[in-house]
PDB file of all heavy atoms in Angstrom:
ATOM      1  N   TRP V  24     -22.394   2.700 -89.307  1.00 97.00           N
ATOM      2  CA  TRP V  24     -22.373   3.867 -88.466  1.00 97.00           C
ATOM      3  C   TRP V  24     -21.075   3.852 -87.695  1.00 97.00           C
ATOM      4  O   TRP V  24     -20.350   4.868 -87.486  1.00 97.00           O
ATOM      5  CB  TRP V  24     -23.527   3.939 -87.595  1.00 97.00           C
ATOM      6  CG  TRP V  24     -24.885   4.066 -88.342  1.00 97.00           C
ATOM      7  CD1 TRP V  24     -25.064   4.249 -89.644  1.00 97.00           C
ATOM      8  CD2 TRP V  24     -26.208   3.974 -87.763  1.00 97.00           C
ATOM      9  NE1 TRP V  24     -26.416   4.280 -89.945  1.00 97.00           N
ATOM     10  CE2 TRP V  24     -27.168   4.091 -88.842  1.00 97.00           C
ATOM     11  CE3 TRP V  24     -26.650   3.735 -86.472  1.00 97.00           C
ATOM     12  CZ2 TRP V  24     -28.486   3.970 -88.585  1.00 97.00           C
ATOM     13  CZ3 TRP V  24     -28.117   3.711 -86.211  1.00 97.00           C
ATOM     14  CH2 TRP V  24     -28.856   3.951 -87.358  1.00 97.00           C
ATOM     15  N   VAL V  25     -20.772   2.761 -87.059  1.00 98.00           N
ATOM     16  CA  VAL V  25     -19.599   2.649 -86.264  1.00 98.00           C
ATOM     17  C   VAL V  25     -18.265   2.792 -86.947  1.00 98.00           C
ATOM     18  O   VAL V  25     -17.439   3.585 -86.605  1.00 98.00           O
ATOM     19  CB  VAL V  25     -19.528   1.257 -85.458  1.00 98.00           C
ATOM     20  CG1 VAL V  25     -18.179   1.064 -84.764  1.00 98.00           C
ATOM     21  CG2 VAL V  25     -20.660   1.201 -84.402  1.00 98.00           C
ATOM     22  N   ILE V  26     -18.192   2.192 -88.164  1.00 98.00           N
ATOM     23  CA  ILE V  26     -17.007   2.261 -89.006  1.00 98.00           C
ATOM     24  C   ILE V  26     -16.923   3.759 -89.417  1.00 98.00           C
ATOM     25  O   ILE V  26     -15.792   4.344 -89.465  1.00 98.00           O
ATOM     26  CB  ILE V  26     -17.107   1.437 -90.260  1.00 98.00           C
ATOM     27  CG1 ILE V  26     -16.875  -0.134 -89.744  1.00 98.00           C
ATOM     28  CG2 ILE V  26     -15.972   1.795 -91.137  1.00 98.00           C
ATOM     29  CD1 ILE V  26     -17.037  -1.041 -90.937  1.00 98.00           C
ATOM     30  N   ARG V  27     -17.928   4.441 -89.749  1.00 97.00           N
ATOM     31  CA  ARG V  27     -17.924   5.803 -90.162  1.00 97.00           C
ATOM     32  C   ARG V  27     -17.322   6.694 -89.084  1.00 97.00           C
ATOM     33  O   ARG V  27     -16.624   7.543 -89.195  1.00 97.00           O
ATOM     34  CB  ARG V  27     -19.302   6.356 -90.611  1.00 97.00           C
ATOM     35  CG  ARG V  27     -19.411   7.769 -91.017  1.00 97.00           C
ATOM     36  CD  ARG V  27     -18.601   8.024 -92.238  1.00 97.00           C
ATOM     37  NE  ARG V  27     -18.865   9.403 -92.798  1.00 97.00           N
ATOM     38  CZ  ARG V  27     -19.826   9.605 -93.723  1.00 97.00           C
ATOM     39  NH1 ARG V  27     -20.562   8.549 -94.299  1.00 97.00           N
ATOM     40  NH2 ARG V  27     -20.029  10.792 -94.169  1.00 97.00           N
ATOM     41  N   ALA V  28     -17.850   6.463 -87.858  1.00 97.00           N
ATOM     42  CA  ALA V  28     -17.442   7.162 -86.645  1.00 97.00           C
ATOM     43  C   ALA V  28     -15.917   7.081 -86.409  1.00 97.00           C
ATOM     44  O   ALA V  28     -15.218   8.003 -86.186  1.00 97.00           O
ATOM     45  CB  ALA V  28     -18.169   6.777 -85.357  1.00 97.00           C
ATOM     46  N   PHE V  29     -15.436   5.827 -86.554  1.00 97.00           N
ATOM     47  CA  PHE V  29     -14.050   5.464 -86.226  1.00 97.00           C
ATOM     48  C   PHE V  29     -13.073   6.056 -87.389  1.00 97.00           C
ATOM     49  O   PHE V  29     -11.974   6.495 -87.084  1.00 97.00           O
ATOM     50  CB  PHE V  29     -13.763   4.077 -85.924  1.00 97.00           C
ATOM     51  CG  PHE V  29     -14.047   3.648 -84.541  1.00 97.00           C
ATOM     52  CD1 PHE V  29     -15.323   3.392 -84.127  1.00 97.00           C
ATOM     53  CD2 PHE V  29     -12.939   3.658 -83.634  1.00 97.00           C
ATOM     54  CE1 PHE V  29     -15.496   2.983 -82.757  1.00 97.00           C
ATOM     55  CE2 PHE V  29     -13.149   3.197 -82.466  1.00 97.00           C
ATOM     56  CZ  PHE V  29     -14.523   2.881 -81.899  1.00 97.00           C
ATOM     57  N   THR V  30     -13.524   5.871 -88.597  1.00 97.00           N
ATOM     58  CA  THR V  30     -12.715   6.444 -89.674  1.00 97.00           C
ATOM     59  C   THR V  30     -12.667   7.935 -89.705  1.00 97.00           C
ATOM     60  O   THR V  30     -11.617   8.603 -90.082  1.00 97.00           O
ATOM     61  CB  THR V  30     -13.205   5.936 -91.032  1.00 97.00           C
ATOM     62  OG1 THR V  30     -14.632   6.139 -91.194  1.00 97.00           O
ATOM     63  CG2 THR V  30     -12.891   4.402 -91.141  1.00 97.00           C
ATOM     64  N   ALA V  31     -13.813   8.568 -89.328  1.00 97.00           N
ATOM     65  CA  ALA V  31     -13.802  10.041 -89.167  1.00 97.00           C
ATOM     66  C   ALA V  31     -12.915  10.474 -87.976  1.00 97.00           C
ATOM     67  O   ALA V  31     -12.206  11.434 -88.084  1.00 97.00           O
ATOM     68  CB  ALA V  31     -15.217  10.436 -88.895  1.00 97.00           C
ATOM     69  N   LEU V  32     -13.035   9.749 -86.901  1.00 96.00           N
ATOM     70  CA  LEU V  32     -12.068  10.041 -85.796  1.00 96.00           C
ATOM     71  C   LEU V  32     -10.647   9.938 -86.218  1.00 96.00           C
ATOM     72  O   LEU V  32      -9.839  10.710 -85.808  1.00 96.00           O
ATOM     73  CB  LEU V  32     -12.377   9.029 -84.602  1.00 96.00           C
ATOM     74  CG  LEU V  32     -11.560   9.206 -83.348  1.00 96.00           C
ATOM     75  CD1 LEU V  32     -11.815  10.491 -82.740  1.00 96.00           C
ATOM     76  CD2 LEU V  32     -11.802   7.956 -82.360  1.00 96.00           C
ATOM     77  N   GLY V  33     -10.212   8.884 -86.932  1.00 95.00           N
ATOM     78  CA  GLY V  33      -8.892   8.763 -87.410  1.00 95.00           C
ATOM     79  C   GLY V  33      -8.515   9.589 -88.542  1.00 95.00           C
ATOM     80  O   GLY V  33      -7.307   9.624 -88.812  1.00 95.00           O
ATOM     81  N   GLY V  34      -9.549  10.173 -89.230  1.00 94.00           N
ATOM     82  CA  GLY V  34      -9.248  10.840 -90.408  1.00 94.00           C
ATOM     83  C   GLY V  34      -8.629  10.003 -91.520  1.00 94.00           C
ATOM     84  O   GLY V  34      -7.958  10.498 -92.345  1.00 94.00           O
ATOM     85  N   SER V  35      -8.997   8.680 -91.467  1.00 95.00           N
ATOM     86  CA  SER V  35      -8.397   7.749 -92.500  1.00 95.00           C
ATOM     87  C   SER V  35      -9.368   6.542 -92.681  1.00 95.00           C
ATOM     88  O   SER V  35     -10.103   6.166 -91.753  1.00 95.00           O
ATOM     89  CB  SER V  35      -7.052   7.334 -91.888  1.00 95.00           C
ATOM     90  OG  SER V  35      -6.590   6.186 -92.692  1.00 95.00           O
ATOM     91  N   ASP V  36      -9.317   6.060 -93.939  1.00 95.00           N
ATOM     92  CA  ASP V  36     -10.106   4.862 -94.317  1.00 95.00           C
ATOM     93  C   ASP V  36      -9.202   3.592 -94.294  1.00 95.00           C
ATOM     94  O   ASP V  36      -9.565   2.736 -94.984  1.00 95.00           O
ATOM     95  CB  ASP V  36     -10.758   5.069 -95.682  1.00 95.00           C
ATOM     96  CG  ASP V  36     -11.964   6.019 -95.499  1.00 95.00           C
ATOM     97  OD1 ASP V  36     -12.770   5.891 -94.628  1.00 95.00           O
ATOM     98  OD2 ASP V  36     -11.986   6.992 -96.404  1.00 95.00           O
ATOM     99  N   ASP V  37      -8.028   3.755 -93.852  1.00 95.00           N
ATOM    100  CA  ASP V  37      -7.113   2.595 -93.776  1.00 95.00           C
ATOM    101  C   ASP V  37      -7.698   1.485 -92.896  1.00 95.00           C
ATOM    102  O   ASP V  37      -8.604   1.664 -92.123  1.00 95.00           O
ATOM    103  CB  ASP V  37      -5.774   3.070 -93.162  1.00 95.00           C
ATOM    104  CG  ASP V  37      -4.932   3.948 -94.081  1.00 95.00           C
ATOM    105  OD1 ASP V  37      -5.216   4.025 -95.278  1.00 95.00           O
ATOM    106  OD2 ASP V  37      -3.950   4.542 -93.622  1.00 95.00           O
ATOM    107  N   ILE V  38      -7.038   0.292 -93.165  1.00 96.00           N
ATOM    108  CA  ILE V  38      -7.673  -0.939 -92.565  1.00 96.00           C
ATOM    109  C   ILE V  38      -7.610  -0.861 -90.954  1.00 96.00           C
ATOM    110  O   ILE V  38      -8.497  -1.202 -90.275  1.00 96.00           O
ATOM    111  CB  ILE V  38      -6.801  -2.101 -93.015  1.00 96.00           C
ATOM    112  CG1 ILE V  38      -7.088  -2.463 -94.436  1.00 96.00           C
ATOM    113  CG2 ILE V  38      -7.252  -3.371 -92.193  1.00 96.00           C
ATOM    114  CD1 ILE V  38      -6.314  -3.571 -95.029  1.00 96.00           C
ATOM    115  N   PHE V  39      -6.644  -0.237 -90.384  1.00 97.00           N
ATOM    116  CA  PHE V  39      -6.524  -0.028 -88.982  1.00 97.00           C
ATOM    117  C   PHE V  39      -7.747   0.628 -88.396  1.00 97.00           C
ATOM    118  O   PHE V  39      -8.355   0.184 -87.442  1.00 97.00           O
ATOM    119  CB  PHE V  39      -5.286   0.752 -88.562  1.00 97.00           C
ATOM    120  CG  PHE V  39      -5.186   1.112 -87.180  1.00 97.00           C
ATOM    121  CD1 PHE V  39      -4.779   0.189 -86.206  1.00 97.00           C
ATOM    122  CD2 PHE V  39      -5.643   2.272 -86.687  1.00 97.00           C
ATOM    123  CE1 PHE V  39      -4.633   0.415 -84.853  1.00 97.00           C
ATOM    124  CE2 PHE V  39      -5.577   2.566 -85.385  1.00 97.00           C
ATOM    125  CZ  PHE V  39      -5.081   1.652 -84.345  1.00 97.00           C
ATOM    126  N   TRP V  40      -8.251   1.667 -89.005  1.00 97.00           N
ATOM    127  CA  TRP V  40      -9.314   2.460 -88.538  1.00 97.00           C
ATOM    128  C   TRP V  40     -10.573   1.761 -88.746  1.00 97.00           C
ATOM    129  O   TRP V  40     -11.636   2.075 -88.151  1.00 97.00           O
ATOM    130  CB  TRP V  40      -9.194   3.864 -89.103  1.00 97.00           C
ATOM    131  CG  TRP V  40      -8.249   4.638 -88.478  1.00 97.00           C
ATOM    132  CD1 TRP V  40      -6.987   5.036 -89.048  1.00 97.00           C
ATOM    133  CD2 TRP V  40      -8.160   5.228 -87.128  1.00 97.00           C
ATOM    134  NE1 TRP V  40      -6.190   5.685 -88.214  1.00 97.00           N
ATOM    135  CE2 TRP V  40      -6.905   5.901 -87.026  1.00 97.00           C
ATOM    136  CE3 TRP V  40      -9.005   5.266 -86.011  1.00 97.00           C
ATOM    137  CZ2 TRP V  40      -6.497   6.489 -85.827  1.00 97.00           C
ATOM    138  CZ3 TRP V  40      -8.660   5.755 -84.881  1.00 97.00           C
ATOM    139  CH2 TRP V  40      -7.383   6.444 -84.662  1.00 97.00           C
ATOM    140  N   ILE V  41     -10.636   0.996 -89.752  1.00 97.00           N
ATOM    141  CA  ILE V  41     -11.881   0.089 -89.978  1.00 97.00           C
ATOM    142  C   ILE V  41     -12.091  -1.000 -88.890  1.00 97.00           C
ATOM    143  O   ILE V  41     -13.133  -1.258 -88.404  1.00 97.00           O
ATOM    144  CB  ILE V  41     -11.863  -0.499 -91.372  1.00 97.00           C
ATOM    145  CG1 ILE V  41     -11.882   0.514 -92.367  1.00 97.00           C
ATOM    146  CG2 ILE V  41     -13.045  -1.513 -91.517  1.00 97.00           C
ATOM    147  CD1 ILE V  41     -11.688   0.069 -93.784  1.00 97.00           C
ATOM    148  N   ARG V  42     -10.857  -1.561 -88.424  1.00 97.00           N
ATOM    149  CA  ARG V  42     -10.854  -2.616 -87.549  1.00 97.00           C
ATOM    150  C   ARG V  42     -10.746  -2.342 -86.150  1.00 97.00           C
ATOM    151  O   ARG V  42     -11.120  -3.168 -85.142  1.00 97.00           O
ATOM    152  CB  ARG V  42      -9.792  -3.571 -87.914  1.00 97.00           C
ATOM    153  CG  ARG V  42     -10.039  -4.481 -89.213  1.00 97.00           C
ATOM    154  CD  ARG V  42      -8.896  -5.368 -89.667  1.00 97.00           C
ATOM    155  NE  ARG V  42      -9.283  -6.290 -90.709  1.00 97.00           N
ATOM    156  CZ  ARG V  42      -8.421  -6.999 -91.347  1.00 97.00           C
ATOM    157  NH1 ARG V  42      -7.057  -6.858 -91.069  1.00 97.00           N
ATOM    158  NH2 ARG V  42      -8.740  -7.760 -92.307  1.00 97.00           N
ATOM    159  N   VAL V  43     -10.198  -1.149 -85.777  1.00 97.00           N
ATOM    160  CA  VAL V  43      -9.956  -0.840 -84.335  1.00 97.00           C
ATOM    161  C   VAL V  43     -11.140  -0.777 -83.496  1.00 97.00           C
ATOM    162  O   VAL V  43     -11.042  -1.053 -82.198  1.00 97.00           O
ATOM    163  CB  VAL V  43      -9.122   0.438 -84.260  1.00 97.00           C
ATOM    164  CG1 VAL V  43      -9.961   1.674 -84.579  1.00 97.00           C
ATOM    165  CG2 VAL V  43      -8.383   0.570 -82.937  1.00 97.00           C
ATOM    166  N   ALA V  44     -12.262  -0.687 -83.953  1.00 97.00           N
ATOM    167  CA  ALA V  44     -13.516  -0.699 -83.128  1.00 97.00           C
ATOM    168  C   ALA V  44     -13.671  -1.982 -82.533  1.00 97.00           C
ATOM    169  O   ALA V  44     -14.296  -2.124 -81.441  1.00 97.00           O
ATOM    170  CB  ALA V  44     -14.764  -0.249 -83.952  1.00 97.00           C
ATOM    171  N   GLY V  45     -13.218  -3.092 -83.213  1.00 96.00           N
ATOM    172  CA  GLY V  45     -13.480  -4.381 -82.673  1.00 96.00           C
ATOM    173  C   GLY V  45     -12.957  -4.670 -81.204  1.00 96.00           C
ATOM    174  O   GLY V  45     -13.677  -4.992 -80.355  1.00 96.00           O
ATOM    175  N   PRO V  46     -11.575  -4.548 -81.056  1.00 97.00           N
ATOM    176  CA  PRO V  46     -11.127  -4.760 -79.649  1.00 97.00           C
ATOM    177  C   PRO V  46     -11.666  -3.757 -78.653  1.00 97.00           C
ATOM    178  O   PRO V  46     -11.803  -3.943 -77.485  1.00 97.00           O
ATOM    179  CB  PRO V  46      -9.479  -4.548 -79.846  1.00 97.00           C
ATOM    180  CG  PRO V  46      -9.398  -3.741 -81.142  1.00 97.00           C
ATOM    181  CD  PRO V  46     -10.505  -4.199 -81.922  1.00 97.00           C
ATOM    182  N   ILE V  47     -12.000  -2.514 -79.122  1.00 97.00           N
ATOM    183  CA  ILE V  47     -12.481  -1.540 -78.206  1.00 97.00           C
ATOM    184  C   ILE V  47     -13.905  -1.846 -77.709  1.00 97.00           C
ATOM    185  O   ILE V  47     -14.237  -1.833 -76.573  1.00 97.00           O
ATOM    186  CB  ILE V  47     -12.535  -0.083 -78.933  1.00 97.00           C
ATOM    187  CG1 ILE V  47     -11.113   0.254 -79.034  1.00 97.00           C
ATOM    188  CG2 ILE V  47     -13.279   0.882 -78.064  1.00 97.00           C
ATOM    189  CD1 ILE V  47     -10.940   1.657 -79.823  1.00 97.00           C
ATOM    190  N   PHE V  48     -14.698  -2.315 -78.700  1.00 97.00           N
ATOM    191  CA  PHE V  48     -16.155  -2.744 -78.292  1.00 97.00           C
ATOM    192  C   PHE V  48     -16.010  -4.032 -77.447  1.00 97.00           C
ATOM    193  O   PHE V  48     -16.869  -4.128 -76.491  1.00 97.00           O
ATOM    194  CB  PHE V  48     -16.907  -3.049 -79.633  1.00 97.00           C
ATOM    195  CG  PHE V  48     -17.828  -1.874 -80.001  1.00 97.00           C
ATOM    196  CD1 PHE V  48     -17.343  -0.980 -80.920  1.00 97.00           C
ATOM    197  CD2 PHE V  48     -19.050  -1.757 -79.486  1.00 97.00           C
ATOM    198  CE1 PHE V  48     -18.124   0.112 -81.308  1.00 97.00           C
ATOM    199  CE2 PHE V  48     -19.895  -0.637 -79.852  1.00 97.00           C
ATOM    200  CZ  PHE V  48     -19.313   0.309 -80.786  1.00 97.00           C
ATOM    201  N   HIS V  49     -15.192  -4.902 -77.656  1.00 97.00           N
ATOM    202  CA  HIS V  49     -15.014  -6.140 -76.841  1.00 97.00           C
ATOM    203  C   HIS V  49     -14.577  -5.757 -75.455  1.00 97.00           C
ATOM    204  O   HIS V  49     -15.005  -6.237 -74.528  1.00 97.00           O
ATOM    205  CB  HIS V  49     -14.042  -7.153 -77.477  1.00 97.00           C
ATOM    206  CG  HIS V  49     -14.664  -7.916 -78.556  1.00 97.00           C
ATOM    207  ND1 HIS V  49     -15.978  -8.479 -78.500  1.00 97.00           N
ATOM    208  CD2 HIS V  49     -14.082  -8.283 -79.851  1.00 97.00           C
ATOM    209  CE1 HIS V  49     -16.193  -9.076 -79.624  1.00 97.00           C
ATOM    210  NE2 HIS V  49     -15.142  -9.029 -80.505  1.00 97.00           N
ATOM    211  N   ALA V  50     -13.764  -4.710 -75.424  1.00 97.00           N
ATOM    212  CA  ALA V  50     -13.312  -4.289 -74.045  1.00 97.00           C
ATOM    213  C   ALA V  50     -14.510  -3.697 -73.379  1.00 97.00           C
ATOM    214  O   ALA V  50     -14.745  -3.981 -72.085  1.00 97.00           O
ATOM    215  CB  ALA V  50     -12.234  -3.387 -74.068  1.00 97.00           C
ATOM    216  N   GLY V  51     -15.295  -2.996 -74.021  1.00 97.00           N
ATOM    217  CA  GLY V  51     -16.511  -2.377 -73.455  1.00 97.00           C
ATOM    218  C   GLY V  51     -17.476  -3.408 -72.947  1.00 97.00           C
ATOM    219  O   GLY V  51     -18.030  -3.383 -71.870  1.00 97.00           O
ATOM    220  N   THR V  52     -17.656  -4.514 -73.804  1.00 98.00           N
ATOM    221  CA  THR V  52     -18.586  -5.609 -73.299  1.00 98.00           C
ATOM    222  C   THR V  52     -18.003  -6.292 -72.119  1.00 98.00           C
ATOM    223  O   THR V  52     -18.769  -6.609 -71.223  1.00 98.00           O
ATOM    224  CB  THR V  52     -18.559  -6.577 -74.419  1.00 98.00           C
ATOM    225  OG1 THR V  52     -19.053  -6.050 -75.711  1.00 98.00           O
ATOM    226  CG2 THR V  52     -19.570  -7.772 -74.168  1.00 98.00           C
ATOM    227  N   ALA V  53     -16.742  -6.497 -72.077  1.00 97.00           N
ATOM    228  CA  ALA V  53     -16.134  -7.139 -70.810  1.00 97.00           C
ATOM    229  C   ALA V  53     -16.473  -6.204 -69.641  1.00 97.00           C
ATOM    230  O   ALA V  53     -16.707  -6.824 -68.541  1.00 97.00           O
ATOM    231  CB  ALA V  53     -14.643  -7.357 -71.055  1.00 97.00           C
ATOM    232  N   LEU V  54     -16.250  -5.042 -69.752  1.00 97.00           N
ATOM    233  CA  LEU V  54     -16.366  -4.109 -68.553  1.00 97.00           C
ATOM    234  C   LEU V  54     -17.885  -4.228 -68.187  1.00 97.00           C
ATOM    235  O   LEU V  54     -18.175  -4.082 -66.951  1.00 97.00           O
ATOM    236  CB  LEU V  54     -16.054  -2.778 -68.910  1.00 97.00           C
ATOM    237  CG  LEU V  54     -14.425  -2.557 -69.158  1.00 97.00           C
ATOM    238  CD1 LEU V  54     -14.150  -1.093 -69.612  1.00 97.00           C
ATOM    239  CD2 LEU V  54     -13.665  -2.993 -67.917  1.00 97.00           C
ATOM    240  N   VAL V  55     -18.856  -4.100 -69.116  1.00 97.00           N
ATOM    241  CA  VAL V  55     -20.254  -4.134 -68.786  1.00 97.00           C
ATOM    242  C   VAL V  55     -20.578  -5.515 -68.242  1.00 97.00           C
ATOM    243  O   VAL V  55     -21.374  -5.591 -67.198  1.00 97.00           O
ATOM    244  CB  VAL V  55     -21.006  -3.883 -70.003  1.00 97.00           C
ATOM    245  CG1 VAL V  55     -22.552  -4.052 -69.710  1.00 97.00           C
ATOM    246  CG2 VAL V  55     -20.921  -2.423 -70.599  1.00 97.00           C
ATOM    247  N   LEU V  56     -19.986  -6.508 -68.715  1.00 97.00           N
ATOM    248  CA  LEU V  56     -20.268  -7.889 -68.006  1.00 97.00           C
ATOM    249  C   LEU V  56     -19.818  -7.921 -66.649  1.00 97.00           C
ATOM    250  O   LEU V  56     -20.272  -8.694 -65.796  1.00 97.00           O
ATOM    251  CB  LEU V  56     -19.574  -8.885 -68.873  1.00 97.00           C
ATOM    252  CG  LEU V  56     -20.436  -9.535 -70.021  1.00 97.00           C
ATOM    253  CD1 LEU V  56     -19.579 -10.786 -70.694  1.00 97.00           C
ATOM    254  CD2 LEU V  56     -21.674 -10.164 -69.495  1.00 97.00           C
ATOM    255  N   MET V  57     -18.631  -7.359 -66.371  1.00 97.00           N
ATOM    256  CA  MET V  57     -18.233  -7.265 -64.918  1.00 97.00           C
ATOM    257  C   MET V  57     -19.300  -6.625 -64.044  1.00 97.00           C
ATOM    258  O   MET V  57     -19.575  -7.043 -62.963  1.00 97.00           O
ATOM    259  CB  MET V  57     -16.867  -6.505 -64.798  1.00 97.00           C
ATOM    260  CG  MET V  57     -15.677  -7.144 -65.416  1.00 97.00           C
ATOM    261  SD  MET V  57     -14.114  -6.185 -65.341  1.00 97.00           S
ATOM    262  CE  MET V  57     -13.984  -5.983 -63.590  1.00 97.00           C
ATOM    263  N   ALA V  58     -19.829  -5.525 -64.508  1.00 96.00           N
ATOM    264  CA  ALA V  58     -20.805  -4.711 -63.782  1.00 96.00           C
ATOM    265  C   ALA V  58     -22.074  -5.662 -63.651  1.00 96.00           C
ATOM    266  O   ALA V  58     -22.800  -5.687 -62.552  1.00 96.00           O
ATOM    267  CB  ALA V  58     -21.086  -3.481 -64.395  1.00 96.00           C
ATOM    268  N   ALA V  59     -22.423  -6.360 -64.729  1.00 96.00           N
ATOM    269  CA  ALA V  59     -23.613  -7.145 -64.717  1.00 96.00           C
ATOM    270  C   ALA V  59     -23.497  -8.364 -63.747  1.00 96.00           C
ATOM    271  O   ALA V  59     -24.366  -8.633 -63.030  1.00 96.00           O
ATOM    272  CB  ALA V  59     -23.952  -7.713 -66.086  1.00 96.00           C
ATOM    273  N   ALA V  60     -22.349  -8.993 -63.775  1.00 96.00           N
ATOM    274  CA  ALA V  60     -21.963 -10.097 -62.861  1.00 96.00           C
ATOM    275  C   ALA V  60     -21.957  -9.601 -61.384  1.00 96.00           C
ATOM    276  O   ALA V  60     -22.445 -10.361 -60.463  1.00 96.00           O
ATOM    277  CB  ALA V  60     -20.635 -10.726 -63.253  1.00 96.00           C
ATOM    278  N   ARG V  61     -21.396  -8.522 -61.254  1.00 95.00           N
ATOM    279  CA  ARG V  61     -21.367  -7.930 -59.843  1.00 95.00           C
ATOM    280  C   ARG V  61     -22.745  -7.643 -59.350  1.00 95.00           C
ATOM    281  O   ARG V  61     -23.044  -7.933 -58.167  1.00 95.00           O
ATOM    282  CB  ARG V  61     -20.491  -6.627 -59.814  1.00 95.00           C
ATOM    283  CG  ARG V  61     -20.368  -6.104 -58.503  1.00 95.00           C
ATOM    284  CD  ARG V  61     -19.443  -4.796 -58.427  1.00 95.00           C
ATOM    285  NE  ARG V  61     -19.245  -4.282 -57.210  1.00 95.00           N
ATOM    286  CZ  ARG V  61     -17.948  -4.099 -56.664  1.00 95.00           C
ATOM    287  NH1 ARG V  61     -16.882  -4.368 -57.430  1.00 95.00           N
ATOM    288  NH2 ARG V  61     -17.794  -3.654 -55.440  1.00 95.00           N
ATOM    289  N   ARG V  62     -23.585  -7.080 -60.225  1.00 93.00           N
ATOM    290  CA  ARG V  62     -24.975  -6.793 -59.756  1.00 93.00           C
ATOM    291  C   ARG V  62     -25.755  -8.085 -59.467  1.00 93.00           C
ATOM    292  O   ARG V  62     -26.554  -8.171 -58.575  1.00 93.00           O
ATOM    293  CB  ARG V  62     -25.618  -5.865 -60.926  1.00 93.00           C
ATOM    294  CG  ARG V  62     -27.205  -5.814 -60.807  1.00 93.00           C
ATOM    295  CD  ARG V  62     -27.734  -4.907 -61.798  1.00 93.00           C
ATOM    296  NE  ARG V  62     -27.683  -3.442 -61.299  1.00 93.00           N
ATOM    297  CZ  ARG V  62     -28.064  -2.435 -61.986  1.00 93.00           C
ATOM    298  NH1 ARG V  62     -28.388  -2.633 -63.240  1.00 93.00           N
ATOM    299  NH2 ARG V  62     -27.976  -1.195 -61.437  1.00 93.00           N
ATOM    300  N   PHE V  63     -25.675  -9.093 -60.391  1.00 94.00           N
ATOM    301  CA  PHE V  63     -26.416 -10.177 -60.304  1.00 94.00           C
ATOM    302  C   PHE V  63     -25.993 -11.281 -59.293  1.00 94.00           C
ATOM    303  O   PHE V  63     -26.788 -11.939 -58.690  1.00 94.00           O
ATOM    304  CB  PHE V  63     -26.589 -10.819 -61.721  1.00 94.00           C
ATOM    305  CG  PHE V  63     -27.645 -11.913 -61.946  1.00 94.00           C
ATOM    306  CD1 PHE V  63     -28.974 -11.478 -61.644  1.00 94.00           C
ATOM    307  CD2 PHE V  63     -27.439 -13.108 -62.363  1.00 94.00           C
ATOM    308  CE1 PHE V  63     -29.966 -12.491 -61.762  1.00 94.00           C
ATOM    309  CE2 PHE V  63     -28.464 -14.082 -62.463  1.00 94.00           C
ATOM    310  CZ  PHE V  63     -29.716 -13.670 -62.315  1.00 94.00           C
ATOM    311  N   ILE V  64     -24.632 -11.475 -59.247  1.00 94.00           N
ATOM    312  CA  ILE V  64     -24.135 -12.545 -58.383  1.00 94.00           C
ATOM    313  C   ILE V  64     -23.313 -11.979 -57.254  1.00 94.00           C
ATOM    314  O   ILE V  64     -23.484 -12.236 -56.088  1.00 94.00           O
ATOM    315  CB  ILE V  64     -23.243 -13.490 -59.217  1.00 94.00           C
ATOM    316  CG1 ILE V  64     -23.853 -14.038 -60.457  1.00 94.00           C
ATOM    317  CG2 ILE V  64     -22.718 -14.621 -58.338  1.00 94.00           C
ATOM    318  CD1 ILE V  64     -25.159 -14.863 -60.176  1.00 94.00           C
ATOM    319  N   GLY V  65     -22.377 -11.095 -57.562  1.00 92.00           N
ATOM    320  CA  GLY V  65     -21.524 -10.609 -56.515  1.00 92.00           C
ATOM    321  C   GLY V  65     -20.158 -10.170 -56.975  1.00 92.00           C
ATOM    322  O   GLY V  65     -19.784 -10.711 -58.140  1.00 92.00           O
ATOM    323  N   PRO V  66     -19.365  -9.437 -56.278  1.00 93.00           N
ATOM    324  CA  PRO V  66     -18.098  -9.064 -56.616  1.00 93.00           C
ATOM    325  C   PRO V  66     -17.079 -10.184 -56.906  1.00 93.00           C
ATOM    326  O   PRO V  66     -15.997 -10.011 -57.616  1.00 93.00           O
ATOM    327  CB  PRO V  66     -17.575  -8.034 -55.644  1.00 93.00           C
ATOM    328  CG  PRO V  66     -18.425  -8.354 -54.357  1.00 93.00           C
ATOM    329  CD  PRO V  66     -19.755  -8.877 -54.926  1.00 93.00           C
ATOM    330  N   GLU V  67     -17.360 -11.331 -56.266  1.00 93.00           N
ATOM    331  CA  GLU V  67     -16.394 -12.421 -56.287  1.00 93.00           C
ATOM    332  C   GLU V  67     -16.180 -13.098 -57.746  1.00 93.00           C
ATOM    333  O   GLU V  67     -15.162 -13.648 -58.000  1.00 93.00           O
ATOM    334  CB  GLU V  67     -16.831 -13.551 -55.340  1.00 93.00           C
ATOM    335  CG  GLU V  67     -18.138 -14.208 -55.693  1.00 93.00           C
ATOM    336  CD  GLU V  67     -19.405 -13.543 -55.162  1.00 93.00           C
ATOM    337  OE1 GLU V  67     -19.268 -12.366 -54.597  1.00 93.00           O
ATOM    338  OE2 GLU V  67     -20.475 -14.186 -55.157  1.00 93.00           O
ATOM    339  N   ILE V  68     -17.121 -12.842 -58.552  1.00 95.00           N
ATOM    340  CA  ILE V  68     -17.009 -13.362 -59.963  1.00 95.00           C
ATOM    341  C   ILE V  68     -16.884 -12.245 -60.982  1.00 95.00           C
ATOM    342  O   ILE V  68     -16.690 -12.541 -62.123  1.00 95.00           O
ATOM    343  CB  ILE V  68     -18.164 -14.359 -60.368  1.00 95.00           C
ATOM    344  CG1 ILE V  68     -19.398 -13.541 -60.481  1.00 95.00           C
ATOM    345  CG2 ILE V  68     -18.327 -15.440 -59.325  1.00 95.00           C
ATOM    346  CD1 ILE V  68     -20.391 -14.384 -61.376  1.00 95.00           C
TER     347      ILE V  68
END
C-alpha cells in the first residue's frame, strides 16, 4: 500500500519512488520517538 501511494504520488515506478518512503518513514519514527521520550522522561532526552 505504501509503495503504491508513493509511486502514484511521483507518477513513476522508478526505483527512487519505490525506495523514497524509507528515509521519510524513518524521519517520522524519529520525530514520534522524540515526542514519546519527552512525554515519558522529559525534554532533556
